[in-house]
Amino acid sequence: MSFETISVIGLGYIGLPTAAMFASRKKKVIGIDVNQHAVDTINRGEIHIVEPELDMIVHAAVTEGYLKATTIPEPADAFLIAVPTPFKNNDSEIPEPDLSYIEAASKAIAPVLKKGDLVILESTSPVGATEQMAEWLAAVRPDLTFPQIAGDNADVNVAHCPERVLPGHVVRELVENDRVIGGMTAKCSARAVELYKTFVQGECVITNARTAEMAKLTENSCRDVQIAFANELSIICDKLDIDVWELISLANRHPRINILQPGPGVGGHCIAVDPWFIVSKTPTQAKIIHTARQVNDGKPSWVVDKVKLEIANFLQDNPTKTVQDIVVACYGLAFKPDIDDLRESPALNITKALSDMHAGSVWAVEPNISSLENISSTVELTSLENAQENADIHVVLVDHSQFKASKFKAKYLVDTKGIW
Ligand code: SAJ
């Protein structure tokens, strides 16, 4: 049976581009979201997130009638769940994943499921979440059979197919990246491959649901561990008076070495989050993964301490000045270069921490945003030229291309990206 109507639940950074790709292949797509503002925006043919090229694709899909958004689930042949999996709001030392959005989405679609449907969990999830989702579906629909009991004869097929696209390149990577397909049975996998082949040009590689869940967590944990190695090196080199950037470029000339770049910490909603899904499941075994998280999470406060040291040096060299006279300029607020996304950004957290601690002014240079309204009432947004010319202490937090293009030398400089 082919997929005529596809429903995508959760129209955020992954769900909306995925819905738009299916619609661009002339499938009837129903997007479901609890956020009425997002639903209204999409139904006007506009988008509520920032992602290159996506606006045009959504606009075409909506005006041609292939994509519509709504808050209430409707029957479809395939359902893709792409809702967030945040942490539980408790004080435990190891953050625990919160599956309540997946639970709510499963319970919302269960009443409209029918024999022959396919349900795919795309949200990054701890191992076992897909099986749990199938249990939630089965509990609402005792009249249908599910793979955990009926295997390949199930009425409804269930799979985990994690997204792996890089923000800023989502439209291209959705099509070109290989896809891990983790069906709860062989038939579930085969149906999921059939669905993704609607637009995926990369290879759809079949495994089981648990391995697919772990594959996604492994990719991001691997990157986190590698960045932690670079961050640890930067702290060691600072102590030993060695230029870490030169060191890494020398080591990377070895044919089998490829060290990543240090920075102010790890931001975004994936790499700083997903390793905890492994650590919380297997705290005794996941030693390196846990330590990497601590190293990367500790980097922002190390940067703040370095700035404090520069402020002290400045005062020592300029005895007529007081701390209130000192202007600290932070270059970059986004969580990585050349994007406007400030969520979970170490650069933003460092800038806010400096503004809380420093009695003088704190300026921010962020070419990708136009206002700090609702972000900070104490930090002042300024131009690159003004900051370079008039600030006293310079703190590079993001290697935006505008910053890299501008050669600058400063006596009081904390350069977490090694560009100046
Ligand atoms: N970072 C460094 N040094 C580096 C590379 C990155 O400090 O050498 C920092 C960045 O500045 C940023 C953070 O790491 O703060 C994460 O950035 P990123 O570009 O490594 O990754 P994300 O979070 O934008 O996207 C990742 C990708 N995963 C991998 O590359 C393994 C993407 O493919 C995933 O789909 C995405 O997570 C996700 O949604 O899980």
Side-chain angles (χ1 to χ4, degrees):
M1 208 174 77
S2 70
F3 300 99
E4 296 306 326
T5 305
I6 298 161
S7 181
V8 178
I9 300 96
L11 299 172
Y13 279 83
I14 300 303
L16 181 57
T18 304
M21 292 319 290
F22 279 116
S24 74
R25 300 300 190 272
K26 309 218 176 305
K27 293 283 179 191
K28 186 177 167 217
V29 181
I30 305 165
I32 315 287
D33 203 290
V34 290
N35 176 349
Q36 186 70 51
H37 166 71
V39 166
D40 294 341
T41 308
I42 294 162
N43 284 335
R44 284 197 306 273
E46 295 165 13
I47 60 175
H48 60 296
I49 56 174
V50 179
E51 182 59 46
E53 296 173 50
L54 184 63
D55 50 350
M56 278 150 31
I57 302 174
V58 169
H59 187 261
V62 172
T63 43
E64 287 167 22
Y66 290 106
L67 172 64
K68 72 160 186 179
T70 165
T71 55
I72 298 162
E74 294 177 18
D77 305 318
F79 295 83
L80 286 92
I81 298 186
V83 296
T85 33
F87 295 134
K88 278 186 190 153
N89 217 351
N90 56 23
D91 291 334
S92 82
E93 194 228 327
I94 298 174
E96 275 178 70
D98 173 5
L99 299 190
S100 61
Y101 292 81
I102 297 178
E103 182 176 4
S106 319
K107 289 179 175 169
I109 62 164
V112 297
L113 285 181
K114 62 183 184 312
K115 194 171 168 163
D117 283 356
L118 170 67
V119 181
I120 292 182
L121 179 63
E122 279 215 7
S123 312
T124 303
S125 301
V127 172
T130 308
E131 291 158 0
Q132 172 65 73
M133 180 184 78
E135 293 294 342
W136 282 320
L137 295 172
V140 181
R141 294 299 302 272
D143 54 317
L144 292 171
T145 58
F146 289 83
Q148 62 271 36
I149 302 285
D152 267 343
N153 296 321
D155 292 334
V156 176
N157 289 306
V158 178
H160 180 61
C161 307
E163 62 78 16
R164 306 153 98 191
V165 288
L166 194 67
H169 302 265
V170 168
V171 171
R172 180 177 52 79
E173 290 207 353
L174 268 179
V175 174
E176 290 179 4
N177 287 5
D178 290 346
R179 197 92 203 194
V180 174
I181 307 283
M184 282 182 69
T185 67
K187 185 165 166 215
C188 296
S189 295
R191 292 282 286 152
V193 171
E194 194 189 329
L195 176 69
Y196 281 104
K197 276 295 170 192
T198 308
F199 67 83
V200 172
Q201 286 166 11
E203 199 180 328
C204 290
V205 188
I206 290 176
T207 180
N208 57 43
R210 293 174 77 84
T211 309
E213 288 161 344
M214 190 64 180
K216 170 63 197 249
L217 302 180
T218 299
E219 290 159 14
N220 281 352
S221 299
C222 176
R223 198 151 165 89
D224 197 43
V225 169
Q226 290 183 18
I227 298 169
F229 182 73
N231 277 333
E232 185 166 290
L233 272 183
S234 74
I235 295 171
I236 293 169
C237 285
D238 185 68
K239 263 249 165 312
L240 300 180
D241 201 19
I242 290 169
D243 178 342
V244 69
W245 313 100
E246 185 194 0
L247 174 82
I248 290 174
S249 78
L250 292 174
N252 281 351
R253 284 173 178 262
H254 185 288
R256 285 174 295 283
I257 299 297
N258 186 12
I259 302 170
L260 291 182
Q261 300 301 306
V266 169
H269 358 282
C270 311
I271 295 194
V273 174
D274 300 355
W276 289 119
F277 291 7
I278 298 180
V279 178
S280 70
K281 265 252 155 26
T282 50
T284 314
Q285 292 77 17
K287 293 197 190 79
I288 293 177
I289 299 172
H290 192 171
T291 306
R293 271 294 62 245
Q294 290 167 326
V295 170
N296 287 333
D297 275 355
K299 193 74 193 286
S301 64
W302 183 85
V303 175
V304 170
D305 287 345
K306 292 295 292 178
V307 178
K308 282 186 194 160
L309 218 62
E310 286 305 311
I311 293 174
N313 290 340
F314 183 91
L315 286 173
Q316 205 169 30
D317 297 347
N318 300 274
T320 58
K321 297 257 179 166
T322 68
V323 84
Q324 281 85 351
D325 300 326
I326 299 177
V327 176
V328 176
C330 296
Y331 298 85
L333 296 175
F335 89 84
K336 63 180 194 174
D338 302 327
I339 58 165
D340 65 347
D341 194 341
L342 306 188
R343 293 175 303 163
E344 317 300 333
S345 167
L348 178 63
N349 292 340
I350 290 167
T351 306
K352 282 181 168 173
L354 289 173
S355 141
D356 290 345
M357 152 228 122
H358 178 52
S361 300
V362 173
W363 295 351
V365 182
E366 180 43 82
N368 301 298
I369 60 168
S370 54
S371 151
L372 285 180
E373 211 185 301
N374 301 328
I375 297 168
S376 169
S377 54
T378 50
V379 178
E380 200 181 311
L381 199 61
T382 190
S383 67
L384 179 60
E385 296 70 30
N386 185 44
Q388 288 182 334
E389 213 160 292
N390 298 312
D392 303 302
I393 315 280
H394 304 269
V395 188
V396 178
L397 298 172
V398 188
D399 46 344
H400 286 314
S401 23
Q402 292 94 332
F403 302 166
K404 285 199 283 190
S406 124
K407 290 280 160 254
F408 180 61
K409 281 208 177 334
K411 186 166 180 201
Y412 307 97
L413 173 69
V414 178
D415 185 352
T416 69
K417 294 306 297 180
I419 57 172
W420 290 341

